[in-house]
Amino acid sequence: MNLGYIDWVKDLYSIADLAVLSDDGVMVHEAIALGVPVVALRGVKYGRYHNMGAVFRGAVLEADPEDIVEAVSAALERSDELRRAARKYSGDVMVAADRIAEIIEEEACRRQ
């Protein structure tokens, strides 16, 4: 079976109870789009911080690397609640690229 990237990502996330990711946005959006809650590690990728916990309230818990064990434990204890919140945001994430393109197009037309 030759799975494309999208199918492969869906299959991977379908077996995950939780994703532990850096707080860089793109992978967090992937997980949320597929209804998987996230523990986002702050400051591990070039020291950047995107505050994904505030963007996806209730679906993303944030942690510093030294607190990862406690954060993952807390996330697993609240997994049903976090998964419901992730699913709430899923539809918005799936259409976000189209909406951004519409905004850019509207702005370009307005400026002409």
Side-chain angles (χ1 to χ4, degrees), residues 2 9-10 41 48-49 56 66 78 82 87 90-91:
N2 185 11
V9 170
K10 285 180 182 177
L41 295 175
R48 294 183 297 178
Y49 176 58
F56 300 112
E66 61 271 9
R78 300 174 41 206
L82 293 171
R87 287 183 183 137
S90 177

Side-chain angles (χ1 to χ4, degrees), residues 12-13 18-32 36-45 52 60-63 68 72:
L12 178 63
Y13 279 114
L18 177 70
V20 179
L21 305 166
S22 64
D23 180 45
D24 70 352
V26 176
M27 290 179 65
V28 173
H29 284 82
E30 272 183 357
I32 296 298
V36 177
V38 173
V39 170
L41 295 175
R42 291 186 283 246
V44 297
K45 193 168 185 181
M52 291 289 115
V60 174
L61 296 181
E62 295 182 328
I68 188 65
V72 168

